Amino acid sequence: MAENNTISLKRLFINSIKYSLRKWHELSLFTVVHILLLIVGFKFINGWHDKLFLLWIVPYYMFWCFFFRFYFGRKPYVMTTMIFDTLLPSTRILVLSMLITILIVSIPFLIPFISVNSPWVDSYVDHLQKYTEDTATINIVASIIMTIISPFIFYRPMMAWIGSLIGRSGLLSTAFGRTKGNYCKFLAISALFSVLFSLVEALDSVLSGNSWLIIFLGSVVIVYFNIILAKTYEYFFLEIDK
């Protein structure tokens, strides 16, 4: 039983590895299915550049619903009205993410209007224009910013989504209240997986993998990351209730 609401990263990763080893047959199948979904979504459909991608999102969403209901042993794994209960938390997560992202992205462009007559404005605008034309720099900065805010717009809200999926509380207030005081822990987890995924992307680029390495190795990383999410929920919302 958890003695407090501060999670141990060491314990979290060890328990996640133990679960992965114990359930390696099932997780291998999940990984294969995830790979196939990505192949369809990003090789046959061409990702978000294709209108069909909106249809692809449905089976991909159902895949993760199945994954978490399987993890927590909630049958039936797919054909359940609980899935419709997850639409509200997932919509809130999406809206929250979009609003915060738009706000953060807009701040650098709003600064010159705050100090219109300041002598440094012209120089600032020149540097801003220079960096906005550098795609690599923008991607790195965006990745860092998203990692920093991920505990607020993704990690903690995901606890509400998982809760609604397995028939427990889907309130964001409950999710934020139970996980309070763990920002640095969640940030470390998000940063680790962001770095891992960046390494996979870099390896794919170096080996000219044409995104195939991202699909295969990235799927392994993504599935394991979701085990981490499940274990996190288990700690904060199941263990402390025992």
Side-chain angles (χ1 to χ4, degrees):
M1 181 182 295
E3 297 179 355
N4 53 56
N5 65 342
T6 302
I7 197 166
S8 166
L9 293 184
K10 179 180 179 181
R11 177 185 174 189
L12 177 64
F13 281 102
I14 289 176
N15 288 343
S16 298
I17 291 172
K18 286 181 178 179
Y19 177 85
S20 299
L21 294 175
R22 190 170 66 252
K23 296 285 187 176
W24 73 270
H25 288 93
E26 293 88 343
L27 293 179
S28 296
L29 182 58
F30 274 116
T31 304
V32 170
V33 174
H34 190 269
I35 289 171
L36 294 175
L37 283 170
L38 292 190
I39 290 174
V40 172
F42 292 91
K43 290 298 181 179
F44 289 96
I45 295 180
N46 194 29
W48 43 80
H49 301 292
D50 195 314
K51 292 180 180 179
L52 290 175
F53 189 72
L54 294 175
L55 296 177
W56 175 87
I57 290 175
V58 176
Y60 190 73
Y61 186 83
M62 297 295 288
F63 169 82
W64 287 115
C65 289
F66 185 101
F67 177 88
F68 284 104
R69 286 188 65 82
F70 171 82
Y71 177 91
F72 289 103
R74 298 301 200 270
K75 294 182 178 180
Y77 297 136
V78 178
M79 301 304 293
T80 170
T81 56
M82 292 288 182
I83 292 177
F84 293 100
D85 296 335
T86 67
L87 297 178
L88 182 57
S90 59
T91 301
R92 287 174 175 171
I93 293 172
L94 180 61
V95 172
L96 180 64
S97 301
M98 289 179 63
L99 289 176
I100 293 178
T101 302
I102 291 172
L103 176 62
I104 291 176
V105 170
S106 301
I107 289 176
F109 298 96
L110 294 175
I111 292 177
F113 295 98
I114 298 174
S115 306
V116 177
N117 298 320
S118 298
W120 55 267
V121 170
D122 290 339
S123 176
Y124 175 84
V125 171
D126 290 338
H127 282 84
L128 184 62
Q129 182 177 0
K130 174 184 176 182
Y131 287 115
T132 52
E133 293 174 353
D134 186 344
T135 304
T137 300
I138 292 176
N139 290 339
I140 293 173
V141 172
S143 178
I144 292 174
I145 291 175
M146 294 305 293
T147 299
I148 291 173
I149 64 176
S150 61
F152 296 109
I153 68 172
F154 178 76
Y155 208 104
R156 294 168 76 183
M158 273 296 292
M159 299 299 105
W161 184 82
I162 294 173
S164 65
L165 182 62
I166 64 175
R168 296 172 66 89
S169 175
L171 297 175
L172 287 176
S173 57
T174 301
F176 275 76
R178 286 287 185 101
T179 57
K180 184 179 180 180
N182 288 272
Y183 170 79
C184 291
K185 301 293 180 70
F186 294 158
L187 176 60
I189 295 169
S190 298
L192 173 61
F193 282 95
S194 179
V195 169
L196 285 176
F197 211 83
S198 295
L199 290 175
V200 171
E201 290 181 325
L203 183 62
D204 181 82
S205 178
V206 170
L207 299 178
S208 300
N210 194 28
S211 299
W212 285 106
L213 281 178
I214 296 176
I215 290 175
F216 281 86
L217 294 182
S219 291
V220 176
V221 174
I222 291 171
V223 169
Y224 182 70
F225 178 64
N226 279 275
I227 294 171
I228 293 288
L229 288 175
K231 283 294 179 184
T232 301
Y233 184 89
E234 195 172 52
Y235 176 86
F236 285 107
F237 297 86
L238 297 183
E239 278 199 8
I240 59 179
D241 288 341
K242 292 180 181 178

